[in-house]
Every structure is written in C-alpha cells, then in structure tokens.
Amino acid sequence: MTQPRRPEALPRDRRDLRGPFDVIGDVHGCRSELETLLRELGYELARDDQDRPIGATHPQGRTAVFVGDLVDRGPDTPGVLRLVMGMVAAKSALCVTGNHDHKLMRALDGRNVRIAHGLEQSLAQLADQDLEFRTAAHAFLTDLPTHYLLDKGNLVVAHAGLPESLHGSTSGRARSFALYGAPTGELDEHGYPIRYDWARDYRGTPTVLYGHTPVATLIWVNNTLCLDTGVVFGGTLSALRYPEMTTVSVPAERVWCERAGITPQ
C-alpha cells in the first residue's frame, strides 16, 4: 500500500537559536573529508560498533549547520547521512535540503526522476544498506526544510541562497529559489546552467550562507557567502564559524568526480 506523502518541506523559523554555529558547505558524499573538517572545527565524533561515525558534538556547545547536498557523486553517501542524521537527532546540527537531497528523496519515494548527476551512485550505495537505515534516511531527507532563519533573523541558511524578500516565505517561488537558485535558461561554456547572480544585488541586513554552485575561493559578496568549494571535484570542504566570521577548509582526499571548469586545490 502506498504511504501518504508528507507535506513539502517549509522554512524553519529558529530565530531563537543564537549559535555559535559552524555552517558547512556541500559535502556530496565525502564522508572522510567531513570527519576531518568536524575534527578541525573541534567536534568530537561518536562511532558505532562497526567504527562508523554516527554523530558529533562540540565541547563548547556549538551547532553545525549544513547547507544541503549531502548526497551524490562522492564515495560514501550513506556514511554522510548516518553522521549528519545522528548530529541532527542529538541537536548538535541543523540541515537544509539541497537539490540533490530533494531528488534522492523523490527517487526513494518511488517518483519518476532522471537518474543522473551522481544519483545513480547514491542509490547503489544505499542499496547495500539495510531497510531500517534506508527508511530512516528517506524520512530524514523528506523532513529537511528549505531554509533556516537563525539568530533573531540575522542569519539565513539556504542551499542556493535567498533574496531578502523571500526570507521566511512559504511560497513555491521561495522553495524553488532555495533549492535551485534562478536559472536564466542559458548555459555557460562548460554546459552548466547560468543562474541569476542574486548575491550581486543583495542589500539585506541578514547574513545569507549557501552553497549549490562550486567556487574556487571563499569571497564575501554583499553580506552573502557561498560555502561550496567543490570538495567532490577535488577542491576543499569549507565551513564558516558564526558569529566569528572566520572560515576553515580541508582539502579533498582525491578527485571523486570530474567537472569541467573546476580546478582541484
């Protein structure tokens, strides 16, 4: 019997949470690099009897915030999910959904999606896990919000970023923008979609942290920062400490997925 579908994810208003936070860019199945970054940030990892990381806490009570795209392309999507799911359950982390996470959720939901862009790897890796874990992962991905409002609204985390007019919005436009940005319909020289550069026009007071489109260097643009530094493509995995506004990056262990236009660090 088909289970009833849960409502699509909405934004989470947690302006009551003041931090401090460690906001982490797109992981894309790179579990080992995530472990390294968490240790660099001062987190203490917990492991199960198979030595798999199942959670992490910070001795000073910091909270990790993941910008989405936990899955696809990398070598260990189940390992990343197991670790982040444990952290979220223990309230030592928050996570928003990314377009890859959302697509994997839809595939696990039995919907008709195109198996491409690393989804095939995630599905194959998850097929090796037991039913209990696959069910828990599906529920976790389904429940992820589109974006978070944090620290009295002074911090917004959304996978592809979000203009100030859409902060806290439950509209379809806000949800689509948070997941995908705003494609112009054009392609760049490498065949990737060109997106409207919303950060260039951003004049909002809240800091917006996001990922989605990999960048070679962490550069602030009008109180916004993209934290996807392409770890799965041989770049780095990056985090921003908030409110300190300092960054930490660890290198990829190897190029896990080739992408034109991305130069490994």
Side-chain angles (χ1 to χ4, degrees):
M1 186 171 82
T2 302
Q3 295 294 318
R5 288 178 182 166
R6 301 173 68 177
E8 293 286 2
L10 297 174
R12 298 276 167 85
D13 187 340
R14 293 307 312 268
R15 285 176 281 190
D16 58 302
L17 298 180
R18 303 294 303 277
F21 302 110
D22 298 303
V23 186
I24 297 174
D26 303 37
V27 181
H28 278 301
C30 296
R31 187 262 313 152
S32 184
E33 288 90 341
L34 176 57
E35 288 188 53
T36 301
L37 178 62
L38 287 170
R39 285 193 295 265
E40 187 73 19
L41 291 167
Y43 287 78
E44 298 171 352
L45 277 76
R47 297 182 180 275
D48 64 12
D49 56 9
Q50 299 180 53
D51 201 36
R52 300 177 300 191
I54 56 172
T57 55
H58 198 285
Q60 296 174 357
R62 300 181 71 90
T63 300
V65 186
F66 293 89
V67 305
D69 276 6
L70 302 175
V71 309
D72 292 354
R73 294 184 171 135
D76 193 2
T77 280
V80 171
L81 287 173
R82 185 176 289 108
L83 174 51
V84 176
M85 287 163 59
M87 293 178 70
V88 171
K91 295 183 169 36
S92 62
L94 304 169
C95 185
V96 299
T97 190
N99 58 301
H100 284 263
D101 308 312
H102 183 68
K103 190 175 182 182
L104 175 57
M105 179 273 292
R106 291 172 62 223
L108 294 174
D109 206 29
R111 301 193 223 179
N112 184 24
V113 299
R114 183 174 173 231
I115 310 299
H117 305 299
L119 177 59
E120 63 279 12
Q121 292 152 293
S122 291
L123 291 173
Q125 292 165 15
L126 285 167
D128 290 334
Q129 306 298 309
D130 59 42
L131 178 60
E132 181 180 5
F133 178 78
R134 295 199 305 271
T135 301
H138 181 211
F140 172 77
L141 293 170
T142 301
D143 194 48
L144 291 178
T146 56
H147 63 284
Y148 266 105
L149 306 180
L150 302 166
D151 187 22
K152 294 186 174 182
N154 293 314
L155 175 62
V156 175
V157 179
H159 176 62
L162 206 63
E164 188 174 27
S165 62
L166 297 177
H167 293 179
S169 172
T170 61
S171 69
R173 179 166 179 261
R175 179 178 168 281
S176 177
F177 202 110
L179 279 172
Y180 306 105
T184 64
E186 299 177 296
L187 301 177
D188 66 15
E189 66 272 23
H190 304 295
Y192 300 116
I194 296 175
R195 297 179 177 90
Y196 160 61
D197 188 1
W198 66 275
R200 181 191 60 195
D201 297 327
Y202 184 74
R203 298 295 182 270
T205 300
T207 297
V208 181
L209 301 177
Y210 62 104
H212 189 49
T213 301
V215 295
T217 307
L218 294 169
I219 300 175
W220 284 95
V221 180
N222 297 329
N223 207 23
T224 79
L225 183 66
C226 177
L227 288 166
D228 181 1
T229 46
V231 61
V232 78
F233 304 115
T236 61
L237 183 61
S238 296
L240 175 83
R241 288 185 171 120
Y242 177 99
E244 299 89 343
M245 300 304 193
T246 57
T247 59
V248 177
S249 298
V250 299
E253 295 181 0
R254 51 163 284 188
V255 176
W256 299 105
C257 179
E258 299 285 348
R259 176 183 169 109
I262 298 294
T263 302
Q265 300 296 302

